[in-house]
Each structure stands twice: as C-alpha cells, then as structure tokens.
Amino acid sequence: MQMGDSSAASGTSLNSGGRGAKAASSPAENYQLARRRTLQVVVSALLTESGFESAEKAAVETLTEMMQSYITEIGRCAKTYCEHTARSVPTLSDAVVTLIEMGFNVDTLPVYAKRSQRMVITAPPVTNAPVTPKSLSAGQKRTHPSHIPSHYPEFPDPHTYIKTPTFREPVSDYQVVREKAATQRRDVERALTRFMAKTGETQSLFKDDVSAFPLIAARPSVIPYLSALLPSELELQSLEETDSSEQDEQTDSENAAGNANADDPSADKENSVLPPGGVVPSAKASEDNVIDNPYLRPVKKPKVRRKK
C-alpha cells in the first residue's frame, strides 16, 4: 500500500509538473487551467458541505466536468437570449430566463445563498483572458461620442468601414492603348490557334517529336476558285444598301402612279392595251433564257422591308 501510495503521489507530482510546464507555454491554456482548478475547489467544498469526508479523483473530475458543462450551457443560452433582443451583453433577466428554460427553480436561490453551513472560498488568482490577435488592423478604433451611452456596443474595427477605392483611372494615353489593343489581339489569335490545333488535324515540323511546334493542317478545297467568284462582305453590304435605296424609289413611284390612276379612271382602259413597242416576256422566252451556270446568273436582290 505504501508503494502504491508513493507511486501515485509521484505520478500526481509528475502530472502537475507537466501541466504547469504546458500551461506556461501558452497563455490561453494557463487561463483555462486556472479556471479548472477553481471549479475543482468549488466541487470539493460542495462535497464537504454534503457530508463527504473523502472522494476519489475520478469522481471529482466527473463532477467538475458536469459543473463546467452546466455553466457553459447557461452562458450560451443567456448569450442567445441577449442577441435575440438586439443586445451584446447579457443581463440578469437573461440568466433567469435561461435557468427557467433549463428546469431550475429560481425561487430557491435566495434560500440556498443564505444557508448557514456554506463554506467561504478564497478568490482565485487574477488571470487575464488571452487576447485574440486581430487579423486586420487599419486605422485607430473610435470611441463613443458624448451622445451615445457607454453601455452600448463598441464600434467595429476600422477596416470594416474604411473606404477603399477598388478601381483605377482609365488610361487614355494613345501609345498605351495601342499596345494594349495589339497585345489583346495577339492573345486572341494565339488562343484560337491553339484551340484549332488541339481540336483539329495538325502537322509538325519535326518527325521525331510530333507535339513540338504543331501547325494547323491545310484543308484542300474542292472548288479552289469558289472564293474568287463569291462576292466579299463589303460588296454584299454595298449591294444591300443600293437595293434598299432603289426599292424605296420604286415604291414611291408606284404609289404616285397608283394615285394618278385613281384620279383618272380612263387611264385603266388606255393602259389595258400595250403600245406597239412594248414587249411582254412569255413563259417560253423565260425558259430559254435560264442560265445553267449558277455563277453567271443575275443577282437576286434581297427584299428589304421599309420601317413604317
């Protein structure tokens, strides 16, 4: 028994020494360890008040964990009720509502606080809470003006509302604009060339390495002179413009002739007989004039609708 007690005592001393060394390495762990020891003293005092003369270490640790969990739950619920009413600091009413919600009889608290056999525990050593380092620090934090009460929440960090320009002034220099346009055009052509090289057939300058310097394979055309016969885009655009202007003039002349015929009914009878020099194309003549070569046929003017 003595050996067991000595080994347990040595183990306890080693554990406490290890904890102390570990706590000294981190302020946050030192703060938590001090609070944990205070809870252990409170649990031991409550056990003494209840009539216990001794207790196992595992039992004390279990009761300490239960008390810590209970107090943590009270703080969490009180904070939730506080934020629900648009406040940042919990008040006594938030703690009372939390205890009632957790099933605790609040009326028994004054009687329990005035009990005669209670034990007075010395105040724990003052340990400052670890300061969380701020990720962003910009400017100086503002304090409350005179017209804002001191119990109101503090102003947020300056980096949350400091104005930061996120745009640049447009460059209007001619040389810079031309260089930028040329660079963009070169990048677009290079990207299209790589896309066509990856998706289509390619040829290589080197027989050993096919992937080096790929070239877009030339596709032979079935009718090589087709591009020379077809009109260009500029020619088509000019034809459309001239066709639209001619059609507008023709429509105006037809409207004028229609108005003249409506005014003179005898003109219909005169126009019913063609003049001797007039030529009416017959169906047989139109069939004889059909050209087999599609490239020599007359151009069909597209119909352009005038906007009313």
Coordinates of all heavy atoms in Angstrom, one line a residue, residues 213-294:
F213 N 5.9 22.4 -81.8 CA 5.5 23.3 -82.8 C 4.5 22.8 -83.8 O 4.7 22.6 -85.0 CB 6.8 23.8 -83.6 CG 7.8 24.4 -82.8 CD1 8.9 23.7 -82.3 CD2 7.7 25.8 -82.4 CE1 9.9 24.3 -81.5 CE2 8.7 26.4 -81.6 CZ 9.8 25.6 -81.2
P214 N 3.2 22.5 -83.2 CA 2.2 22.0 -84.1 C 1.7 23.1 -85.1 O 1.5 24.2 -84.7 CB 1.1 21.5 -83.2 CG 1.3 22.4 -82.0 CD 2.8 22.6 -81.9
L215 N 1.4 22.7 -86.3 CA 0.9 23.6 -87.3 C -0.5 23.1 -87.7 O -0.7 21.9 -87.8 CB 1.8 23.7 -88.5 CG 3.2 24.1 -88.2 CD1 4.0 24.1 -89.5 CD2 3.2 25.5 -87.7
I216 N -1.4 24.0 -88.0 CA -2.7 23.6 -88.4 C -2.6 23.1 -89.8 O -2.1 23.7 -90.7 CB -3.7 24.9 -88.4 CG1 -3.7 25.4 -86.9 CG2 -5.1 24.5 -88.9 CD1 -4.5 26.7 -86.8
A217 N -3.2 21.9 -90.0 CA -3.1 21.2 -91.3 C -4.0 22.0 -92.3 O -5.1 22.4 -92.0 CB -3.6 19.8 -91.2
A218 N -3.5 22.1 -93.5 CA -4.2 22.8 -94.6 C -5.2 21.9 -95.2 O -4.9 20.7 -95.5 CB -3.2 23.3 -95.7
R219 N -6.4 22.4 -95.3 CA -7.5 21.6 -95.9 C -7.7 22.0 -97.3 O -8.1 23.1 -97.6 CB -8.8 21.8 -95.1 CG -8.7 21.3 -93.6 CD -10.0 21.6 -92.9 NE -9.9 21.2 -91.5 CZ -10.9 21.3 -90.6 NH1 -12.1 21.9 -91.0 NH2 -10.7 20.9 -89.3
P220 N -7.5 21.1 -98.2 CA -7.7 21.4 -99.7 C -9.2 21.6 -100.0 O -10.1 20.9 -99.5 CB -7.1 20.2 -100.4 CG -7.2 19.1 -99.4 CD -7.0 19.7 -98.1
S221 N -9.5 22.6 -100.8 CA -10.8 22.9 -101.1 C -11.2 22.2 -102.4 O -10.4 21.9 -103.3 CB -11.0 24.4 -101.4 OG -12.3 24.7 -101.8
V222 N -12.5 21.8 -102.5 CA -12.9 21.0 -103.7 C -13.0 21.9 -104.9 O -12.6 21.6 -106.0 CB -14.3 20.4 -103.4 CG1 -14.8 19.6 -104.6 CG2 -14.3 19.5 -102.1
I223 N -13.5 23.2 -104.7 CA -13.5 24.1 -105.8 C -12.6 25.3 -105.4 O -13.0 26.2 -104.6 CB -15.0 24.6 -106.0 CG1 -15.9 23.4 -106.2 CG2 -15.0 25.5 -107.2 CD1 -17.3 23.8 -106.3
P224 N -11.4 25.3 -105.8 CA -10.4 26.3 -105.4 C -10.8 27.8 -105.8 O -10.4 28.7 -105.2 CB -9.1 25.9 -105.9 CG -9.4 25.0 -107.1 CD -10.7 24.4 -106.7
Y225 N -11.5 27.9 -107.0 CA -11.8 29.2 -107.5 C -13.1 29.8 -106.9 O -13.6 30.8 -107.4 CB -11.9 29.2 -109.0 CG -12.9 28.2 -109.6 CD1 -14.3 28.5 -109.7 CD2 -12.5 26.9 -109.9 CE1 -15.2 27.6 -110.2 CE2 -13.4 26.0 -110.4 CZ -14.8 26.3 -110.5 OH -15.7 25.4 -111.0
L226 N -13.7 29.0 -106.0 CA -15.0 29.5 -105.4 C -14.9 30.8 -104.7 O -15.8 31.7 -104.8 CB -15.6 28.4 -104.5 CG -17.0 28.6 -103.9 CD1 -18.0 28.8 -105.0 CD2 -17.4 27.5 -103.0
S227 N -13.8 31.0 -103.9 CA -13.7 32.2 -103.1 C -13.5 33.4 -104.0 O -13.9 34.5 -103.6 CB -12.5 32.0 -102.2 OG -11.3 31.8 -102.9
A228 N -12.9 33.2 -105.2 CA -12.7 34.3 -106.1 C -14.1 34.8 -106.8 O -14.2 35.9 -107.1 CB -11.7 34.0 -107.2
L229 N -15.0 33.8 -107.0 CA -16.2 34.1 -107.6 C -17.3 34.7 -106.6 O -18.1 35.5 -107.0 CB -16.8 32.9 -108.3 CG -16.0 32.3 -109.4 CD1 -16.6 31.0 -109.9 CD2 -15.9 33.3 -110.6
L230 N -17.2 34.3 -105.4 CA -18.2 34.8 -104.4 C -17.9 36.2 -104.0 O -16.7 36.6 -103.9 CB -18.2 33.9 -103.2 CG -18.7 32.5 -103.4 CD1 -18.6 31.7 -102.1 CD2 -20.1 32.5 -103.9
P231 N -18.9 37.1 -103.9 CA -18.6 38.5 -103.5 C -18.2 38.6 -102.1 O -18.5 37.7 -101.2 CB -19.9 39.2 -103.7 CG -20.9 38.1 -103.6 CD -20.3 36.8 -104.1
S232 N -17.4 39.6 -101.7 CA -16.9 39.8 -100.4 C -18.0 40.4 -99.5 O -19.1 40.8 -100.0 CB -15.7 40.7 -100.4 OG -16.0 42.0 -100.9
E233 N -17.8 40.6 -98.2 CA -18.8 41.1 -97.3 C -19.0 42.6 -97.6 O -20.1 43.1 -97.5 CB -18.3 41.0 -95.9 CG -18.2 39.5 -95.4 CD -17.7 39.4 -94.0 OE1 -17.5 40.5 -93.4 OE2 -17.6 38.3 -93.5
L234 N -18.0 43.3 -98.0 CA -18.1 44.7 -98.3 C -19.0 44.9 -99.6 O -19.9 45.8 -99.6 CB -16.8 45.4 -98.5 CG -15.9 45.5 -97.3 CD1 -14.5 46.0 -97.7 CD2 -16.5 46.3 -96.2
E235 N -18.8 44.1 -100.6 CA -19.6 44.2 -101.8 C -21.1 43.8 -101.5 O -22.0 44.5 -102.0 CB -19.1 43.2 -102.8 CG -17.7 43.6 -103.4 CD -17.1 42.7 -104.4 OE1 -17.8 41.6 -104.6 OE2 -16.1 42.9 -104.9
L236 N -21.3 42.8 -100.6 CA -22.7 42.5 -100.3 C -23.4 43.6 -99.5 O -24.5 43.9 -99.7 CB -22.7 41.2 -99.4 CG -22.3 39.9 -100.2 CD1 -22.3 38.7 -99.2 CD2 -23.4 39.6 -101.2
Q237 N -22.6 44.2 -98.6 CA -23.2 45.3 -97.9 C -23.6 46.5 -98.8 O -24.6 47.1 -98.7 CB -22.2 45.8 -96.8 CG -22.7 46.8 -95.9 CD -21.8 47.2 -94.8 OE1 -20.7 46.6 -94.7 NE2 -22.2 48.1 -93.9
S238 N -22.7 46.8 -99.7 CA -23.0 47.9 -100.7 C -24.1 47.6 -101.6 O -25.0 48.4 -101.9 CB -21.7 48.2 -101.5 OG -21.3 47.1 -102.3
L239 N -24.2 46.3 -102.0 CA -25.4 45.9 -102.8 C -26.7 46.0 -102.0 O -27.7 46.4 -102.6 CB -25.2 44.4 -103.3 CG -24.1 44.2 -104.4 CD1 -23.9 42.7 -104.7 CD2 -24.6 44.9 -105.7
E240 N -26.7 45.6 -100.8 CA -27.9 45.7 -100.0 C -28.3 47.2 -99.8 O -29.5 47.5 -99.9 CB -27.7 45.1 -98.6 CG -27.5 43.6 -98.7 CD -27.3 43.0 -97.3 OE1 -27.2 43.8 -96.3 OE2 -27.2 41.8 -97.2
E241 N -27.3 48.1 -99.6 CA -27.7 49.5 -99.5 C -28.3 50.1 -100.8 O -29.3 50.8 -100.7 CB -26.4 50.3 -99.1 CG -25.9 49.9 -97.7 CD -24.6 50.7 -97.3 OE1 -24.1 51.4 -98.2 OE2 -24.2 50.5 -96.2
T242 N -27.6 49.7 -101.9 CA -28.2 50.2 -103.2 C -29.5 49.6 -103.5 O -30.4 50.3 -104.0 CB -27.2 49.9 -104.3 OG1 -26.9 48.5 -104.3 CG2 -25.9 50.7 -104.1
D243 N -29.7 48.3 -103.2 CA -31.0 47.7 -103.4 C -32.1 48.3 -102.6 O -33.2 48.5 -103.1 CB -30.9 46.2 -103.1 CG -30.0 45.5 -104.1 OD1 -29.8 46.1 -105.2 OD2 -29.5 44.4 -103.8
S244 N -31.8 48.6 -101.3 CA -32.8 49.2 -100.5 C -33.2 50.6 -101.0 O -34.3 51.0 -101.0 CB -32.3 49.3 -99.0 OG -31.1 50.1 -99.0
S245 N -32.2 51.4 -101.5 CA -32.5 52.7 -102.0 C -33.3 52.7 -103.2 O -34.3 53.4 -103.4 CB -31.2 53.5 -102.2 OG -30.4 52.8 -103.1
E246 N -32.9 51.7 -104.2 CA -33.7 51.6 -105.4 C -35.1 51.1 -105.1 O -36.1 51.5 -105.8 CB -33.0 50.6 -106.3 CG -31.7 51.1 -106.9 CD -31.0 50.1 -107.8 OE1 -31.5 49.0 -107.8 OE2 -29.9 50.4 -108.3
Q247 N -35.3 50.2 -104.2 CA -36.6 49.7 -103.9 C -37.5 50.8 -103.3 O -38.7 50.9 -103.5 CB -36.5 48.5 -102.9 CG -37.8 47.8 -102.7 CD -37.7 46.5 -101.9 OE1 -36.5 46.2 -101.5 NE2 -38.7 45.8 -101.7
D248 N -36.8 51.7 -102.5 CA -37.6 52.8 -101.9 C -38.1 53.7 -103.0 O -39.2 54.1 -103.0 CB -36.7 53.5 -100.9 CG -36.4 52.7 -99.7 OD1 -37.1 51.7 -99.5 OD2 -35.4 53.0 -99.0
E249 N -37.2 54.0 -104.0 CA -37.6 54.9 -105.1 C -38.7 54.2 -105.9 O -39.6 54.9 -106.4 CB -36.4 55.2 -106.0 CG -35.3 56.0 -105.3 CD -34.1 56.2 -106.1 OE1 -34.1 55.7 -107.2 OE2 -33.1 56.9 -105.7
Q250 N -38.6 52.9 -106.2 CA -39.6 52.2 -106.9 C -40.9 52.2 -106.2 O -42.0 52.4 -106.9 CB -39.1 50.7 -107.2 CG -40.1 49.9 -108.1 CD -39.5 48.5 -108.4 OE1 -38.5 48.2 -107.9 NE2 -40.3 47.8 -109.1
T251 N -40.9 52.0 -104.9 CA -42.1 52.0 -104.2 C -42.8 53.4 -104.2 O -44.0 53.5 -104.3 CB -41.9 51.6 -102.7 OG1 -41.2 50.4 -102.7 CG2 -43.2 51.5 -101.9
D252 N -42.0 54.4 -104.1 CA -42.5 55.8 -104.2 C -43.2 56.0 -105.6 O -44.2 56.6 -105.7 CB -41.4 56.8 -103.9 CG -40.9 56.7 -102.5 OD1 -41.6 56.1 -101.6 OD2 -39.8 57.1 -102.2
S253 N -42.5 55.6 -106.6 CA -43.0 55.8 -108.0 C -44.3 55.0 -108.2 O -45.3 55.5 -108.8 CB -42.0 55.4 -109.0 OG -41.7 54.0 -108.9
E254 N -44.4 53.8 -107.6 CA -45.6 53.0 -107.8 C -46.8 53.7 -107.0 O -47.9 53.7 -107.5 CB -45.4 51.6 -107.2 CG -44.5 50.8 -108.1 CD -44.2 49.4 -107.5 OE1 -44.7 49.2 -106.4 OE2 -43.5 48.6 -108.2
N255 N -46.5 54.2 -105.9 CA -47.5 54.9 -105.1 C -48.0 56.1 -105.9 O -49.2 56.4 -105.9 CB -47.0 55.3 -103.7 CG -46.7 54.1 -102.9 OD1 -47.3 53.0 -103.1 ND2 -45.8 54.3 -101.9
A256 N -47.1 56.9 -106.5 CA -47.5 58.0 -107.3 C -48.4 57.6 -108.5 O -49.4 58.3 -108.8 CB -46.3 58.8 -107.7
A257 N -48.0 56.5 -109.2 CA -48.7 56.1 -110.3 C -50.1 55.6 -109.9 O -51.1 55.8 -110.6 CB -48.0 55.0 -111.1
G258 N -50.2 54.9 -108.8 CA -51.5 54.4 -108.3 C -52.4 55.6 -107.9 O -53.6 55.5 -108.2
N259 N -51.8 56.6 -107.4 CA -52.7 57.8 -107.1 C -53.2 58.4 -108.4 O -54.3 58.9 -108.4 CB -51.9 58.8 -106.3 CG -51.5 58.3 -104.9 OD1 -52.2 57.4 -104.4 ND2 -50.4 58.7 -104.3
A260 N -52.3 58.5 -109.4 CA -52.8 59.1 -110.7 C -53.9 58.2 -111.3 O -54.8 58.8 -111.9 CB -51.6 59.2 -111.6
N261 N -53.7 56.9 -111.3 CA -54.8 56.1 -111.9 C -56.1 56.2 -111.1 O -57.2 56.0 -111.7 CB -54.3 54.6 -111.8 CG -53.1 54.4 -112.8 OD1 -53.0 55.1 -113.8 ND2 -52.3 53.4 -112.5
A262 N -56.0 56.4 -109.8 CA -57.2 56.5 -109.1 C -57.9 57.8 -109.4 O -59.1 57.9 -109.4 CB -56.9 56.5 -107.6
D263 N -57.2 58.8 -109.7 CA -57.8 60.1 -110.1 C -58.4 60.0 -111.5 O -59.5 60.6 -111.8 CB -56.8 61.2 -110.1 CG -56.3 61.4 -108.6 OD1 -57.0 61.0 -107.7 OD2 -55.1 62.0 -108.5
D264 N -57.8 59.3 -112.5 CA -58.3 59.2 -113.9 C -58.7 57.8 -114.2 O -57.8 57.0 -114.4 CB -57.1 59.7 -114.8 CG -57.6 59.9 -116.2 OD1 -58.9 59.7 -116.4 OD2 -56.8 60.1 -117.1
P265 N -60.0 57.5 -114.1 CA -60.4 56.1 -114.4 C -60.2 55.7 -115.8 O -60.2 54.5 -116.1 CB -61.9 56.1 -114.0 CG -62.3 57.6 -114.1 CD -61.1 58.4 -113.7
S266 N -60.2 56.7 -116.8 CA -60.0 56.3 -118.2 C -58.6 55.8 -118.5 O -58.3 55.2 -119.5 CB -60.3 57.5 -119.1 OG -59.4 58.6 -118.8
A267 N -57.7 56.1 -117.5 CA -56.3 55.6 -117.7 C -56.2 54.1 -117.7 O -55.3 53.5 -118.3 CB -55.4 56.3 -116.7
D268 N -57.1 53.5 -116.9 CA -57.0 52.0 -116.9 C -57.4 51.4 -118.3 O -56.8 50.4 -118.7 CB -58.0 51.5 -115.9 CG -57.6 51.9 -114.5 OD1 -56.4 52.2 -114.3 OD2 -58.5 52.0 -113.6
K269 N -58.3 52.0 -119.0 CA -58.7 51.5 -120.3 C -57.5 51.7 -121.3 O -57.3 50.9 -122.1 CB -59.9 52.2 -120.8 CG -61.1 51.9 -119.9 CD -62.3 52.6 -120.4 CE -63.6 52.3 -119.5 NZ -64.8 53.0 -120.0
E270 N -56.9 52.9 -121.2 CA -55.8 53.1 -122.1 C -54.6 52.2 -121.8 O -53.9 51.7 -122.8 CB -55.3 54.6 -122.0 CG -56.4 55.6 -122.4 CD -56.0 57.0 -122.3 OE1 -54.8 57.2 -121.8 OE2 -56.7 57.9 -122.6
N271 N -54.3 51.9 -120.5 CA -53.2 51.1 -120.2 C -53.4 49.6 -120.4 O -52.5 48.8 -120.4 CB -52.8 51.3 -118.7 CG -52.2 52.7 -118.5 OD1 -51.7 53.3 -119.4 ND2 -52.4 53.2 -117.3
S272 N -54.7 49.3 -120.7 CA -55.0 47.9 -120.9 C -54.5 47.4 -122.2 O -54.2 46.2 -122.4 CB -56.6 47.6 -120.8 OG -57.2 48.4 -121.9
V273 N -54.3 48.3 -123.2 CA -53.7 47.9 -124.5 C -52.2 48.4 -124.5 O -51.9 49.5 -124.2 CB -54.5 48.6 -125.6 CG1 -53.9 48.2 -127.0 CG2 -55.9 48.3 -125.6
L274 N -51.3 47.4 -124.8 CA -49.9 47.7 -124.7 C -49.5 48.5 -126.0 O -50.1 48.4 -127.0 CB -49.1 46.4 -124.7 CG -49.2 45.6 -123.5 CD1 -48.5 44.3 -123.6 CD2 -48.6 46.4 -122.3
P275 N -48.6 49.4 -125.8 CA -48.1 50.2 -127.0 C -47.4 49.2 -128.0 O -47.0 48.1 -127.6 CB -47.1 51.2 -126.4 CG -46.7 50.6 -125.1 CD -47.9 49.8 -124.6
P276 N -47.2 49.6 -129.3 CA -46.6 48.7 -130.3 C -45.2 48.4 -129.9 O -44.7 47.3 -130.3 CB -46.8 49.5 -131.6 CG -47.0 50.9 -131.1 CD -47.7 50.9 -129.9
G277 N -44.5 49.3 -129.2 CA -43.1 49.0 -128.9 C -42.9 48.1 -127.7 O -41.8 47.7 -127.4
G278 N -44.0 47.8 -126.9 CA -43.9 47.1 -125.7 C -43.7 45.6 -126.0 O -44.2 45.0 -126.9
V279 N -42.8 45.0 -125.1 CA -42.5 43.6 -125.2 C -42.9 42.9 -123.9 O -42.5 43.3 -122.8 CB -41.0 43.4 -125.4 CG1 -40.7 41.9 -125.5 CG2 -40.6 44.1 -126.7
V280 N -43.7 41.9 -124.0 CA -44.2 41.1 -122.8 C -43.4 39.8 -122.8 O -43.5 39.0 -123.8 CB -45.7 40.9 -122.9 CG1 -46.1 40.0 -121.7 CG2 -46.4 42.2 -122.9
P281 N -42.6 39.5 -121.8 CA -41.8 38.2 -121.8 C -42.8 37.1 -121.6 O -43.6 37.1 -120.6 CB -40.9 38.4 -120.6 CG -41.5 39.4 -119.8 CD -42.3 40.3 -120.7
S282 N -42.8 36.1 -122.5 CA -43.7 34.9 -122.4 C -43.0 33.9 -121.5 O -41.8 34.0 -121.2 CB -44.0 34.4 -123.7 OG -42.8 34.0 -124.4
A283 N -43.7 32.8 -121.2 CA -43.1 31.7 -120.3 C -42.1 31.0 -121.1 O -41.1 30.5 -120.6 CB -44.3 30.8 -119.9
K284 N -42.3 30.8 -122.5 CA -41.3 30.1 -123.3 C -40.0 30.9 -123.4 O -38.9 30.3 -123.3 CB -41.8 29.9 -124.7 CG -41.0 29.0 -125.6 CD -41.6 28.8 -126.9 CE -40.7 27.9 -127.7 NZ -41.3 27.6 -129.1
A285 N -40.1 32.2 -123.5 CA -38.9 33.0 -123.6 C -38.1 33.0 -122.3 O -36.9 33.0 -122.2 CB -39.2 34.5 -123.9
S286 N -38.8 33.0 -121.1 CA -38.2 32.9 -119.8 C -37.5 31.6 -119.6 O -36.4 31.5 -119.0 CB -39.2 33.2 -118.7 OG -40.2 32.1 -118.7
E287 N -38.0 30.5 -120.1 CA -37.4 29.2 -120.0 C -36.1 29.1 -120.9 O -35.1 28.5 -120.5 CB -38.4 28.1 -120.4 CG -39.5 27.9 -119.5 CD -40.5 26.9 -119.9 OE1 -40.2 26.3 -121.0 OE2 -41.5 26.6 -119.2
D288 N -36.2 29.8 -122.1 CA -35.0 29.7 -122.9 C -33.8 30.6 -122.4 O -32.6 30.3 -122.6 CB -35.3 30.3 -124.3 CG -36.3 29.4 -125.0 OD1 -36.4 28.2 -124.6 OD2 -37.0 29.9 -125.9
N289 N -34.2 31.6 -121.6 CA -33.1 32.5 -121.0 C -32.5 32.0 -119.7 O -31.7 32.7 -119.1 CB -33.7 33.9 -120.8 CG -34.1 34.5 -122.1 OD1 -33.5 34.2 -123.2 ND2 -35.1 35.4 -122.1
V290 N -32.9 30.8 -119.3 CA -32.4 30.3 -118.0 C -30.9 29.9 -118.2 O -30.6 29.2 -119.2 CB -33.2 29.1 -117.5 CG1 -32.5 28.4 -116.3 CG2 -34.6 29.5 -117.1
I291 N -30.0 30.3 -117.3 CA -28.6 30.0 -117.4 C -28.3 28.9 -116.5 O -28.7 28.9 -115.3 CB -27.8 31.3 -117.1 CG1 -28.1 32.5 -118.0 CG2 -26.3 31.0 -117.2 CD1 -27.5 33.8 -117.6
D292 N -27.6 27.9 -117.0 CA -27.2 26.7 -116.2 C -26.1 27.0 -115.2 O -26.1 26.5 -114.1 CB -26.8 25.6 -117.1 CG -27.9 25.1 -118.0 OD1 -29.1 25.3 -117.6 OD2 -27.7 24.6 -119.1
N293 N -25.2 27.9 -115.6 CA -24.1 28.2 -114.7 C -24.6 29.1 -113.5 O -25.1 30.2 -113.8 CB -23.0 28.9 -115.5 CG -21.7 29.0 -114.7 OD1 -21.7 28.8 -113.4 ND2 -20.6 29.3 -115.3
P294 N -24.5 28.6 -112.3 CA -25.0 29.5 -111.2 C -24.2 30.7 -111.0 O -24.8 31.7 -110.4 CB -24.9 28.6 -110.0 CG -23.9 27.6 -110.3 CD -23.9 27.4 -111.8

